[in-house]
Amino acid sequence: MDSHELALSSEQLLALYRTMVLIRRTEEQLARAHQMGLVPGPCHTYVGEEAIAAGVCANLRQDDVVFSTHRGHGHALAKGVSAREVAAELLGKATGCSQGRGGSMHLFAPEVGLMGTSGIVGPSILQGAGAGYSFKLLGSDRVSVAFFGDGAVSNGAFHEGINLAAIWDLPVVFVCEDNMYATEVPFREATRNQNVAERVRVSYGMNAVCVDGNDVLAVHEAAKVAVTQARAGNGPSLIECKTYRLRPHAEGMRDGGYRTVDEVESWRKRDPIATFRSELLVNKQADEAAIDAVEEEVTIIVADAMDFGRSSPFPDPATAADFIFSAQD
Amino acid sequence: MREITYTEAAREALAEQMAIDPSIFVVGEGIGERGGNFNTTLGLYEKYGPMRLRDTPIVERGFVGMCTGAAMTGTRPVVDFMIVDFILDSIGELFNQISKIQYMSSGRIKMPLILRGCFGIGGAAATHHSGSYYPLFVHIPGFRVALPSTPYDAKGLMRTALTGDDPVLFLEHKLLLNKRGHVPEEAYSIPFGQAAVVRSGGDATVVALTVMLQKVLAISEELAREGAEIEVIDPRTVAPLDIDTILESVHKTGRLLIVDETFGPCGIGAEISALVMENGFDDLDAPIARLNGMHTPTPYSPTLEGVITPDHAAIAGAIRNLLAE
């Protein structure tokens, strides 16, 4: 075990574990609800990638902001949106974090710095840079984080946003979650150079590192460096996280034809939660009882969240066109 | 009252608000030290420096998307496109993000962002420097669209844009930029959704947008000498559209013509026409008429460019036909 991992207290380590388990258990229930027909729209899960949201967001303050993707439940939960509000939103309820206007791909909770998940690949990078511009202009030490996948890296928004953040030294952390597939198109077929961090360093002159995205402590350490740098006014950086999505692109979709069962199984053996649990036990940073207590607490939270979602009212149809403008016409 | 140009009037509103509100910043190509290709920011860089007068690379999607995130987090970006045709490179950020974020966030995130640019046909600028596009932004829910046609309106509408919390498309016709007019020195606002009845008359109503207004007013004076009194209305903003003022006028005149330089199909005239039919059909004594620019990309050669916009003869003919119905 590297020395950096010892810098975290048992409480901090268990908090990281708790965030990952909260994301996993919530999404397992959402996937089940989707199968039962209770989620009226799409549901893209983050199962297998939890270490990234947990490791990054543990370094953020509530007034820091996150711009997320279509695979954003994990970012929302890690940033502090309650499981109740996430569950209710996916079930289409008025008590959801977007009051039933968004669903899985449009989760908004500005109160805790979640500035939106998105159904479009790329804008999170640009908007993340823009929040950085605001904070710099206002003389604030707040930090902006933009999450995106490998699917965004060949998009113009990536190149334009990274470049603007670099030339203007904006307080932004770009987090590339390379899960190897843009929907079902392999990253290796989308680019001649899959080394995102290297590309960003060489082409845009931005600090960038590549880490194992299934290693929560590696992500945490890289994010700590990046967030500290941004907060101190020393400009943006990028963290490339190599990871893998264990479920289909979206719930209910066929998962074959673009990846093999063997490949999925090989990554399942590297499940970030199981791996971290073993490490905590082997390194005696937490005992079984403490870990079990976290799991039990999360199980209760998630069960309550799903109950809350199911028992909440649907939005009033009369409000379908509310909030288009800042003041109603 | 003093006279200043249209560009100076809009710039005065921007300068006044930048002095009051430190969260306002401008981005665009050449809007920094140079002061803007059309002098939209002349003299402001010296006062406020590069963070608030930010020259950009030529990445419209990039800086519009960036300004979206900025508007979401406490600042007030003004995107100066110079030529509004360039806005099309950012259309996904506009139609999928800027227009929808207040809605998606249930009103908890505001979108105080201004999209300004010079538009319209003239000067043999040809098709990549002559577009209008504002009907598109009226079609999409979530935008305010201001089309000032006088220096007075340019200053007052710009101040409203800079003090509201909604995204505003603020378009300045290239043939109006150097027109002079009376403009008060003090700050003032013109509310969105309030049309101006620029000329009163009882015989026919003509709604005239932007550069068409002065042409319609000149023709109305000619017709007055023949005994016909035309009521001329400038909507000033087309989203929101002050249809009530138009309906009141049609109630009085029974006749309506809409003159708009840009395209007819699914355009502002079509919308006004449908609204008047739905809400004022019994007031009509004649079919509603529209006069638009030709439905074509803008050609270069003066002999071609000259025939694609409604000219004096075409407008006068359309009004005479309407009066004769």
Side-chain angles (χ1 to χ4, degrees):
Chain A
M1 174 162 273
D2 296 340
S3 59
H4 68 258
E5 295 165 10
L6 300 173
L8 293 179
S9 68
S10 289
E11 288 74 22
Q12 287 172 308
L13 293 167
L14 276 172
L16 287 173
Y17 185 76
R18 180 185 181 281
T19 303
M20 288 198 286
V21 173
L22 176 67
I23 298 167
R24 177 71 59 91
R25 298 283 172 269
T26 303
E27 290 200 309
E28 285 169 350
Q29 291 304 314
L30 291 173
R32 191 161 301 158
H34 192 274
Q35 287 155 14
M36 292 164 67
L38 297 173
V39 175
C43 177
H44 305 82
T45 72
Y46 194 60
V47 172
E49 307 184 23
E50 296 92 341
I52 303 169
V56 171
C57 293
N59 288 285
L60 300 180
R61 302 191 313 227
Q62 190 172 71
D63 66 347
D64 293 328
V65 294
V66 161
F67 294 83
S68 168
T69 69
H70 58 285
R71 200 171 301 291
H73 307 155
H75 308 137
L77 291 163
K79 190 66 180 70
V81 185
S82 73
R84 277 185 161 202
E85 282 193 284
V86 171
E89 187 60 33
L90 268 89
L91 298 176
K93 300 304 182 71
T95 54
C97 62
S98 304
Q99 300 181 21
R101 282 173 180 73
S104 168
M105 289 191 287
H106 312 287
L107 304 173
F108 282 83
E111 303 81 8
V112 296
L114 181 72
M115 307 309 284
T117 62
S118 178
I120 307 294
V121 168
S124 66
I125 299 169
L126 302 174
Q127 291 169 17
Y133 202 93
S134 275
F135 300 154
K136 182 163 181 165
L137 177 62
L138 298 171
S140 159
D141 70 345
R142 294 165 72 188
V143 170
S144 169
V145 176
F147 288 99
F148 52 95
D150 53 279
V153 170
S154 299
N155 189 287
F158 172 82
H159 298 275
E160 297 186 16
I162 295 279
N163 185 53
L164 294 179
I167 60 177
W168 297 330
D169 287 319
L170 304 179
V172 187
V173 179
F174 296 98
V175 182
C176 177
E177 301 176 321
D178 174 7
N179 67 12
M180 297 171 57
Y181 298 93
T183 310
E184 281 121 13
V185 176
F187 194 32
R188 64 179 182 274
E189 293 179 13
T191 178
R192 284 285 178 93
N193 183 354
Q194 295 172 61
N195 298 309
V196 179
E198 175 192 295
R199 289 165 66 178
V200 164
R201 269 197 309 273
V202 172
S203 300
Y204 298 110
M206 184 186 291
N207 287 342
V209 294
C210 179
V211 300
D212 177 357
N214 282 26
D215 178 347
V216 69
L217 296 180
V219 174
H220 185 276
E221 167 140 317
K224 185 173 186 179
V225 171
V227 170
T228 303
Q229 172 187 312
R231 206 179 299 291
N234 294 322
S237 47
L238 178 135
I239 305 168
E240 175 187 8
C241 303
K242 298 289 191 188
T243 187
Y244 199 80
R245 142 173 79 69
L246 292 173
R247 295 182 70 89
H249 169 69
E251 290 307 296
M253 279 177 71
R254 191 170 57 87
D255 198 29
Y258 69 100
R259 63 184 192 178
T260 64
V261 173
D262 283 351
E263 183 182 284
V264 178
E265 287 312 309
S266 74
W267 279 91
R268 205 180 297 285
K269 294 193 181 82
R270 299 181 50 199
D271 183 316
I273 296 177
T275 306
F276 189 42
R277 181 189 168 103
S278 301
E279 283 179 11
L280 290 174
L281 291 171
V282 167
N283 295 311
K284 301 191 188 312
Q285 290 158 318
D287 58 21
E288 294 264 6
I291 290 174
D292 288 348
V294 167
E295 304 236 3
E296 281 164 29
E297 182 212 350
V298 168
T299 301
I300 291 166
I301 289 170
V302 174
D304 165 75
M306 297 306 293
D307 286 345
F308 174 79
R310 285 199 196 92
S311 61
S312 287
F314 282 103
D316 178 353
T319 67
D322 283 0
F323 304 122
I324 297 168
F325 292 107
S326 59
Q328 298 297 305
D329 284 333
Chain B
M1 200 187 295
R2 73 184 171 145
E3 282 195 0
I4 57 175
T5 68
Y6 183 101
T7 295
E8 288 165 348
R11 189 174 67 229
E12 191 166 272
L14 177 63
E16 284 168 2
Q17 284 310 116
M18 285 189 79
I20 295 167
D21 182 352
S23 75
I24 296 174
F25 69 99
V26 185
V27 304
E29 295 142 15
I31 59 82
E33 244 177 319
R34 186 187 174 202
N37 190 53
F38 297 116
N39 299 327
T40 46
T41 55
L42 198 65
L44 296 176
Y45 182 90
E46 290 73 7
K47 275 188 185 163
Y48 300 115
M51 266 314 277
R52 296 186 67 195
L53 279 302
R54 179 57 81 185
D55 274 327
T56 64
I58 304 173
V59 288
E60 276 74 16
R61 183 189 178 189
F63 59 70
V64 169
M66 190 206 82
C67 286
T68 308
M72 294 168 76
T73 49
T75 52
R76 190 177 281 280
V78 178
V79 183
D80 190 332
F81 287 98
M82 179 175 19
I83 308 283
V84 82
D85 298 81
F86 307 154
I87 203 171
L88 298 184
D89 274 25
S90 64
I91 216 75
E93 306 308 316
L94 294 161
F95 288 3
N96 250 332
Q97 307 292 330
I98 288 168
S99 65
K100 296 178 177 176
I101 279 170
Q102 296 198 85
Y103 183 81
M104 290 193 291
S105 68
S106 303
R108 286 127 74 212
I109 298 175
K110 302 301 181 200
M111 189 51 64
L113 182 147
I114 294 172
L115 310 153
R116 75 179 298 188
C118 161
F119 79 104
I121 298 167
T127 200
H128 286 164
H129 286 56
S130 299
S132 293
Y133 312 110
Y134 48 84
L136 301 172
F137 290 79
V138 179
H139 180 71
I140 301 294
F143 290 104
R144 307 297 194 189
V145 180
L147 302 173
S149 55
T150 67
Y152 178 84
D153 289 351
K155 182 174 174 183
L157 290 170
M158 177 57 89
R159 185 166 186 266
T160 302
L162 288 165
T163 51
D165 282 330
D166 295 322
V168 179
L169 180 69
F170 185 96
L171 294 184
E172 301 148 282
H173 197 290
K174 64 163 70 117
L175 299 181
L176 296 176
L177 299 179
N178 295 316
K179 298 288 184 199
R180 301 178 76 83
H182 293 294
V183 178
E185 291 188 34
E186 66 272 18
Y188 60 96
S189 296
I190 297 172
F192 290 167
Q194 276 190 15
V197 180
V198 185
R199 186 183 192 286
S200 292
D203 296 322
T205 302
V206 179
V207 173
L209 293 162
T210 74
V211 75
M212 293 292 134
L213 179 68
Q214 292 306 322
K215 293 185 183 187
V216 168
L217 286 172
I219 291 164
S220 298
E221 293 309 315
E222 292 173 19
L223 291 169
R225 290 194 285 277
E226 300 171 19
E229 291 297 340
I230 308 301
E231 183 139 299
V232 181
I233 296 176
D234 176 2
R236 302 197 287 195
T237 62
V238 285
L241 175 70
D242 180 4
I243 193 66
D244 290 342
T245 295
I246 296 169
L247 285 167
E248 279 168 32
S249 179
V250 171
H251 180 69
K252 184 171 64 175
T253 65
R255 288 176 160 74
L256 176 61
L257 168 71
I258 304 114
V259 187
D260 184 6
E261 179 184 274
T262 195
F263 306 134
C266 300
I268 307 300
E271 179 62 20
I272 292 173
S273 176
L275 286 169
V276 170
M277 198 193 68
E278 288 166 359
N279 300 290
F281 186 76
D282 292 340
D283 289 331
L284 290 169
D285 297 324
I288 299 167
R290 284 183 289 162
L291 198 55
N292 287 92
M294 204 178 285
H295 199 207
T296 174
T298 306
Y300 167 69
S301 177
T303 62
L304 300 173
E305 187 193 51
V307 300
I308 66 163
T309 55
D311 62 6
H312 188 281
I315 299 168
I319 299 176
R320 285 180 203 280
N321 286 344
L322 184 66
L323 290 166
E325 280 282 350

